[in-house]
Amino acid sequence: MRIKVSDFCKIVSANYLGGETELLFSHVSIDSRSLQNNDQTLFFALSGANHDAHHFIPDLIQKGVRNFVLTQKPAENVNGISYFVVSNALEAFQKYAAFYRAQFDFPVLGITGSRGKTVVKEWLNFLINPDYNVIKSPKSYNSQVGVPLSVLGMDHKHNFGIFEAGISTVKEMEILEKIIQPTIGILTSIGADHNEGFLNLTEKISEKVRLFDHVGKIILEEDPAVLCYIKDRNKVFSWSFSNPNADVFFSKTAKGKLHIIGKKASFEVEIPFEDSIALSNIATCITTLLCLKYSSEIIAARISKLYRVEMRLQVKNGIHHCTLIDDSYSSDFQSLKIALDFLEKHKTHSVKTIILSDIFQSGLPEVELYRQVSTLLEANKVNRIIGIGASISKHLKGLKNFYGFWSTDAFLRKFSAEDFQNETILVKGARGFQFQKICSLLEEKTHETVLEIDLNAIRHNLNFYRSKLKSTTKIMVMVKAFGYGNGSLEIAKLLAHDKIDYLGVAFADEGIALRKAGIQLPIIVMNPEASAFSAMIAYELEPEIYSIKELKTFLNLAQEKNAYQYPIHIKLDTGMRRLGFDAKDLPELIGILQPTNIVEVKTIFSHLSSSDMAEYRDFTLKQIGDFVSQSNLLLEALEINPIRHILNTSGIYNFPEHQMDMVRLGIGLYGVGNDVVETAQLENVSTLKTIILQIKTISAGESVGYARKFRSSGVTKIAVIPIGYADGIPRAWGNEKGYVYIKECKATIIGSICMDMMMVDVTEIDCYEGDEVIIFGKEIPVTVLAAQLGTIPYEIMTGVSQRVKRIFYQE
Ligand SMILES: *Cc1c(COP(=O)(O)O)cnc(C)c1O
């Protein structure tokens, strides 16, 4: 983009500080961690309650970024930097996106609704992709920030846009409408979720349909309760399963078949899914295709090939200690860049391999395309490139680390598992290449139960607690017990990008594992055992010191190793009655520390026993008061100025005024607050899920499971699911106490829970073998489960056994 500075100032309402007359940039960024072409980047410094990008500006200037849109210019002057000062950087970002969007005049679909937006978007993209160069919002980028980001991906090679818009309160849709400027609108469904931001359903619907203020056509279900909000009935192109007056009328004629009566044609299609949610999404897609004048033959052919939307970059455990990044459903140049970036952030080994198919839809001539691909692969220091497909084999064969195959089958014939060891492998290919076959060979074999961890949610939660803190307060993140069951390594890697100050683990081996994986953040070991001191020093792990005896042992060892000012952390017991020095120990402690410079007191801390309990507020305040006075004693006697910290998650929430120099964040990061209000502001991090292995119908009077604990009173449909107490499901949940979620319905656990399996009642649920089963996650928060079953979320989360495969993802 080349634009006059004065014009740009008008678009975003900015005051210009700088010496240029023209603004020239090829990238717009709001994220300091993922820059490309730094000196060609225009950076918008967004600041929200949770995060302030202004902190990163000096860093960005160092990295070569020269143009900034921000609300406050940094104090220090640097030559050659342009600042566009605005009153609200998000608004400026949105205005620029709207301006940018207006440069293109191809058709744009704008999708909104409570449910199904992302699926409909991905499916429509798949359905029309053979005929258009589609630009669509990545994943579910549908927010006030996500929408402008998506729109800024538009390019002259595109000729069709599909964007989703999600809102959580009034006035937001008006803004998104201006940015997306849709020519056709799609409403997926109006559900009860996200009602909090609206007075009532009326307000929610009237707000959502504002996306359609300027469209030529609106596609939605024929539903009087919604249609009454549409101003111009002539624009409506509706579908229905119950009302034959709709523009497109659907009926299910047989298993796997859908009959369609449109204004011009009636025909039948085969459908790959038939649960009610999929059906309405399929109806939305078919109606859209009819609106775009697709023939019934093409519609039928393409609908039968719809797939589950699992497009995200999935991180999986691979064979021979490899890490696998599965991106086997897409291959275009833009997504290759994203995937390589992702690979760099998530690699767990120094060796990077990519398995890449031919690339489509670049709009570039082949020679130029593959020249850019090889530059990109080289810049990303990919160690081994396995290319599959005729074009990639032809154009990249000159690279020294390139291995070409004409087809996926040719690769599979030559495949040897021994060729893949201790490396991170990105598998990225267009759908037609069926790279899922490659992934299934490279993936470590386990049963179907997985714990999915949403890394974006972790980042959101971190920022939520950060917003409660002063910008100078340091953060220690507790990743003990395998990151509360979620995987400490991946979380530590994520956090290393997010400017936290310390990691906390319980035992030395947890810290050693982090070091071996390349984590460089300072790490405190909370329960160090004397036998591990030597290894701790070797791996630069910092001990919590809680007793005189422990201190003496550590000092002896540190001296042997010629340590000088080795960082230690003094723990005071102010009422928890667990580890820590009592007040009476302090004179002796001072006596030992005063003369030595073998160790240095980096921090002093204590732990609150009841920071989550309002009824013990006085007790907590007394703990805090005692901590302040006892630590003051140490500060004065030793003439030191260490970091002081006492708050855990609920402490941050309930006692932010006592944040001191650092806080220790644990459970909140993983999505669990100590009450509903707090939890509602967090995002769910982990989802424990499995699948239905077998369904059977039993007759009245039959029993189910060991010891015949369940007796059916009538014909009962049961599902067997492969998760049991060895996976961490407490046996106490069996015999109709607990339940799981299948197709958004509760299925009660019947009979006793077995070691590797359990049975649930699905009599009322339209479900099939292979369908997903959720044990806990967004639908059943772990807090609710814990409350019902008389335990705490910590126990359920850390109890998920290590044999359950962890899958990490982020958008
Ligand atoms: C586990 C732990 C924390 C974190 O507690 P949460 O309640 O999970 O936030 C903080 N400090 C110490 C010493 C801990 O052991």
Side-chain angles (χ1 to χ4, degrees):
M1 173 75 58
R2 181 188 285 272
I3 185 167
K4 276 204 202 126
V5 162
S6 56
D7 289 345
F8 185 76
C9 285
K10 269 192 215 123
I11 295 164
V12 302
S13 318
N15 249 332
Y16 182 59
L17 305 177
E20 311 291 327
T21 52
E22 236 185 18
L23 171 62
L24 183 67
F25 58 93
S26 62
H27 289 91
V28 170
S29 174
I30 56 165
D31 183 348
S32 57
R33 287 156 315 182
S34 54
L35 292 179
Q36 331 171 322
N37 290 3
N38 301 7
D39 59 342
Q40 295 274 334
T41 293
L42 172 64
F43 189 83
F44 283 81
L46 305 191
S47 52
N50 298 335
H51 175 85
D52 189 355
H54 286 81
H55 297 320
F56 299 98
I57 291 177
D59 226 33
L60 289 166
I61 292 178
Q62 280 261 307
K63 289 185 180 153
V65 180
R66 293 202 302 260
N67 297 305
F68 295 90
V69 179
L70 37 57
T71 52
Q72 220 167 8
K73 167 189 166 313
E76 219 172 298
N77 276 322
V78 185
N79 273 344
I81 306 294
S82 285
Y83 297 112
F84 296 88
V85 183
V86 295
S87 58
N88 179 325
L90 174 62
E91 272 174 39
F93 182 51
Q94 293 169 333
K95 284 179 190 162
Y96 174 70
F99 161 81
Y100 185 80
R101 157 66 183 98
Q103 314 300 304
F104 303 90
D105 63 358
F106 49 75
V108 168
L109 297 181
I111 308 178
T112 192
S114 302
R115 227 198 249 151
K117 291 188 291 288
T118 304
V119 173
V120 166
K121 179 195 66 190
E122 296 295 342
W123 279 357
L124 281 172
N125 172 48
F126 168 73
L127 292 164
I128 68 170
N129 220 312
D131 317 298
Y132 294 98
N133 274 327
V134 178
I135 163 84
K136 64 175 171 81
S137 12
K139 315 295 167 129
S140 37
Y141 271 35
N142 61 25
S143 64
Q144 298 287 306
V145 176
V147 167
L149 271 180
S150 311
V151 163
L152 289 172
M154 290 174 96
D155 193 319
H156 285 291
K157 68 172 184 278
H158 299 124
N159 55 15
F160 204 105
I162 311 179
F163 298 108
E164 44 169 306
I167 55 170
S168 48
T169 183
V170 290
K171 297 269 185 316
E172 291 188 343
M173 193 57 93
E174 201 178 330
I175 298 170
L176 299 186
E177 193 276 335
K178 289 202 180 99
I179 304 170
I180 299 177
Q181 302 162 31
T183 56
I184 301 177
I186 295 178
L187 183 68
T188 53
S189 75
I190 293 283
D193 39 339
H194 302 300
N195 263 342
E196 310 92 61
F198 303 94
L199 277 178
N200 48 37
L201 197 62
T202 305
E203 184 176 85
K204 184 165 94 170
I205 303 177
S206 28
E207 187 63 27
K208 291 210 169 177
V209 301
R210 301 221 49 178
L211 180 63
F212 311 138
D213 279 355
H214 302 102
V215 298
K217 271 273 176 273
I218 306 168
I219 290 156
L220 78 182
E221 184 173 5
E222 179 72 39
D223 174 358
V226 176
L227 283 168
C228 60
Y229 296 94
I230 305 286
K231 289 191 204 94
D232 186 353
R233 174 75 224 211
N234 287 327
K235 291 181 174 174
V236 169
F237 195 57
S238 67
W239 59 268
S240 178
F241 277 89
S242 56
N243 184 344
N245 294 325
D247 295 288
V248 188
F249 179 61
F250 291 89
S251 47
K252 249 193 105 221
T253 41
K255 193 165 161 46
K257 296 248 196 281
L258 201 55
H259 190 76
I260 299 144
I261 306 178
K263 287 275 170 287
K264 299 206 177 95
S266 85
F267 59 104
E268 195 164 69
V269 299
E270 262 178 55
I271 47 172
F273 315 107
E274 37 197 335
D275 55 281
S276 60
I277 295 171
L279 281 177
S280 67
N281 290 336
I282 290 175
T284 302
C285 288
I286 295 181
T287 308
T288 308
L289 293 180
L290 287 169
C291 179
L292 293 172
K293 309 256 181 297
Y294 273 86
S295 72
S296 51
E297 292 78 26
I298 294 190
I299 294 177
R302 292 187 189 166
I303 288 287
S304 68
K305 297 206 176 65
L306 285 181
Y307 56 95
R308 294 265 178 221
V309 174
E310 290 162 330
M311 314 271 292
R312 57 204 176 193
L313 292 148
Q314 290 193 19
V315 182
K316 301 173 173 175
N317 288 333
I319 53 172
H320 303 143
H321 308 291
C322 289
T323 300
L324 192 62
I325 299 177
D326 178 355
D327 196 19
S328 53
Y329 291 98
S330 70
S331 134
D332 54 83
F333 190 65
Q334 187 59 28
S335 71
L336 176 61
K337 278 192 203 162
I338 296 168
L340 285 169
D341 203 38
F342 189 88
L343 172 63
E344 179 58 30
K345 276 193 199 140
H346 292 262
K347 66 173 189 208
T348 40
H349 311 85
S350 56
V351 177
K352 294 196 282 187
T353 292
I354 180 170
I355 303 180
L356 181 64
S357 77
D358 284 351
I359 293 179
F360 299 119
Q361 303 154 12
S362 73
L364 294 171
E366 265 198 10
V367 174
E368 173 57 19
L369 166 66
Y370 286 101
R371 199 192 55 74
Q372 290 193 14
V373 170
S374 68
T375 312
L376 193 63
L377 292 171
E378 248 166 304
N380 278 278
K381 303 201 169 55
V382 179
N383 303 75
R384 177 159 63 145
I385 305 160
I386 297 173
I388 298 184
S391 317
I392 193 166
S393 300
K394 177 168 141 206
H395 292 285
L396 296 191
K397 65 173 186 275
L399 298 179
K400 66 174 184 318
N401 50 354
F402 182 80
Y403 306 84
F405 297 86
W406 291 103
S407 66
T408 304
D409 283 337
F411 172 78
L412 293 174
R413 278 196 296 276
K414 289 266 172 64
F415 179 85
S416 153
E418 303 309 310
D419 293 344
F420 298 89
Q421 315 238 11
N422 300 310
E423 56 200 296
T424 303
I425 311 166
L426 169 64
V427 181
K428 181 160 183 58
R431 267 182 70 71
F433 282 88
Q434 300 193 310
F435 274 12
Q436 55 288 22
K437 290 185 188 165
I438 299 178
C439 283
S440 78
L441 285 179
L442 289 173
E443 202 177 328
E444 195 184 33
K445 298 290 173 292
T446 41
H447 57 26
E448 299 293 339
T449 299
V450 296
L451 185 70
E452 280 192 353
I453 292 113
D454 179 349
L455 296 172
N456 287 87
I458 290 189
R459 188 173 278 141
H460 169 94
N461 298 340
L462 173 64
N463 284 334
F464 171 76
Y465 289 102
R466 191 171 260 164
S467 76
K468 309 269 165 236
L469 302 173
K470 291 181 291 208
S471 64
T472 47
T473 306
K474 294 181 168 21
I475 299 182
M476 180 189 313
V477 167
M478 306 306 292
V479 291
K480 60 192 181 195
F482 198 55
Y484 288 48
N486 294 291
S488 50
L489 254 180
E490 291 74 12
I491 292 169
K493 269 182 188 294
L494 175 83
L495 298 175
H497 293 283
D498 277 82
K499 305 218 164 183
I500 65 146
D501 304 278
Y502 272 94
L503 292 172
V505 297
F507 297 102
D509 16 345
E510 297 178 284
I512 293 172
L514 292 174
R515 283 283 181 257
K516 283 189 170 158
I519 303 293
Q520 288 170 356
L521 284 167
I523 299 175
I524 303 193
V525 178
M526 295 287 167
N527 319 345
E529 290 155 57
S531 58
F533 281 162
S534 174
M536 285 178 54
I537 294 178
Y539 285 97
E540 295 180 39
L541 304 173
E542 307 174 10
E544 163 184 318
I545 298 291
Y546 55 85
S547 73
I548 299 289
K549 175 161 167 266
E550 185 211 359
L551 176 59
K552 285 182 175 162
T553 319
F554 187 77
L555 277 174
N556 279 338
L557 196 105
Q559 185 160 33
E560 254 172 52
K561 307 246 173 207
N562 293 322
Y564 174 70
Q565 297 189 344
Y566 196 90
I568 60 168
H569 304 268
I570 301 292
K571 168 84 154 286
L572 306 179
D573 181 0
T574 54
M576 178 76 181
R577 307 318 274 156
R578 209 168 63 177
L579 295 181
F581 289 95
D582 296 338
K584 68 171 173 26
D585 303 325
L586 298 184
E588 192 180 358
L589 175 63
I590 292 168
I592 300 174
L593 289 175
Q594 215 147 30
T596 180
N597 55 18
I598 299 173
V599 293
E600 182 193 353
V601 178
K602 259 268 158 350
T603 85
I604 303 182
F605 71 111
S606 185
H607 193 43
L608 298 173
S609 75
S610 312
S611 60
D612 54 336
M613 303 176 80
E615 65 264 46
Y616 295 131
R617 196 174 169 84
D618 289 345
F619 184 82
T620 302
L621 290 173
K622 170 141 192 334
Q623 273 198 286
I624 294 172
D626 287 351
F627 174 66
V628 171
S629 56
Q630 290 174 24
S631 57
N632 274 343
L633 215 68
L634 291 172
L635 263 62
E636 279 156 28
L638 298 169
E639 294 176 36
I640 54 173
N641 191 16
I643 295 168
R644 287 194 278 185
H645 47 115
I646 193 163
L647 301 185
N648 63 340
T649 300
S650 34
I652 301 173
Y653 193 70
N654 294 325
F655 300 91
E657 64 280 17
H658 297 294
Q659 56 190 268
M660 305 185 191
D661 310 308
M662 180 156 81
V663 296
R664 300 186 304 273
L665 178 60
I667 192 99
L669 185 76
Y670 308 103
V672 177
N674 74 62
D675 60 31
V676 229
V677 184
E678 184 180 348
T679 304
Q681 299 175 75
L682 303 174
E683 284 182 10
N684 182 66
V685 168
S686 44
T687 305
L688 180 60
K689 53 161 81 163
T690 181
I691 55 156
I692 299 179
L693 217 48
Q694 190 175 29
I695 289 187
K696 43 181 73 170
T697 303
I698 58 172
S699 32
E702 280 197 77
S703 65
V704 173
Y706 284 124
R708 309 191 63 193
K709 289 277 191 190
F710 176 80
R711 304 286 177 129
S712 76
S713 54
V715 174
T716 306
K717 185 166 76 160
I718 66 168
V720 183
I721 61 178
I723 185 168
Y725 59 78
D727 299 291
I729 307 290
R731 255 187 107 246
W733 291 8
N735 298 314
E736 290 154 81
K737 295 219 180 44
Y739 53 87
V740 299
Y741 257 54
I742 297 174
K743 292 279 162 65
E744 308 190 1
C745 305
K746 279 186 191 178
T748 304
I749 303 173
I750 55 178
S752 294
I753 292 175
C754 314
M755 186 186 288
D756 312 306
M757 266 175 281
M758 62 196 197
M759 282 67 86
V760 299
D761 181 347
V762 291
T763 310
E764 301 296 327
I765 306 176
D766 179 22
C767 60
Y768 302 92
E769 291 174 0
D771 279 350
E772 184 176 86
V773 179
I774 309 259
I775 317 298
F776 63 74
K778 200 169 167 193
E779 299 80 357
I780 324 190
V782 71
T783 40
V784 172
L785 263 191
Q788 276 175 4
L789 298 159
T791 177
I792 51 172
Y794 298 77
E795 190 184 354
I796 299 184
M797 290 167 69
T798 55
V800 177
S801 119
Q802 283 306 309
R803 82 173 186 189
V804 173
K805 184 162 72 169
R806 267 69 175 169
I807 292 183
F808 300 88
Y809 66 95
Q810 71 175 326
E811 290 175 351

